[in-house]
Amino acid sequence: QVQLVESGGGLVQPGGSLRLSCVASGRIFSIYAMGWYRQAPGKRRELVAAISSGGATNYADSVKGRFTISRDNGKNTVYLLMNSLKPEDTAVYYCKGGYPTLQSASEYWGQGTQVTVSS
């Protein structure tokens, strides 16, 4: 069993930055693919960024060049650095872990952290 706990959300002005963190329990974090998803009111949950166990990354087109996903296996933590935030980035952000991929049946979700971009 893996538990994921997100933090770092909040209210930020357009153009600002936030860094989300997701800490995983367990000793096998390094073998999991990790991802950040978001869900805005009235919209479907969507993948924002993902990082494989080997460190390969991919991003949604809407965040490319602005967001960076990274992981620190020694700290069982995955990060999402969000720069140049826009009002349309407002959503609840969820961390997900999956083995061996995010699409696997063995998956775990965090509880979510709210990000609000507004002046």
Side-chain angles (χ1 to χ4, degrees), residues 35-72:
W36 286 97
Y37 291 71
R38 67 186 181 188
Q39 188 167 20
K43 295 188 177 181
R44 296 180 63 180
R45 191 173 296 189
E46 62 175 353
L47 176 65
V48 174
I51 185 166
S52 71
S53 58
T57 59
N58 66 279
Y59 298 90
D61 288 342
S62 59
V63 306
K64 281 181 180 177
R66 300 188 298 123
F67 290 11
T68 303
I69 188 171
S70 61
R71 65 190 300 161
D72 185 336

Side-chain angles (χ1 to χ4, degrees), residues 63-95:
V63 306
K64 281 181 180 177
R66 300 188 298 123
F67 290 11
T68 303
I69 188 171
S70 61
R71 65 190 300 161
D72 185 336
N73 290 337
K75 295 182 178 180
N76 278 16
T77 302
V78 62
Y79 303 98
L80 184 67
L81 176 61
M82 305 184 293
N83 294 323
S84 302
L85 283 161
K86 304 175 181 180
E88 52 263 44
D89 294 317
T90 296
V92 178
Y93 284 70
Y94 297 90
C95 176

Side-chain angles (χ1 to χ4, degrees), residues 2-7 21-24 34-37 39 45 78 92-98 107-113:
V2 175
Q3 291 185 322
L4 304 175
V5 179
E6 303 102 330
S7 63
S21 299
C22 172
V23 180
M34 301 298 298
W36 286 97
Y37 291 71
Q39 188 167 20
R45 191 173 296 189
V78 62
V92 178
Y93 284 70
Y94 297 90
C95 176
K96 178 183 178 181
E107 62 175 30
Y108 301 93
W109 289 91
Q111 82 287 352
T113 186

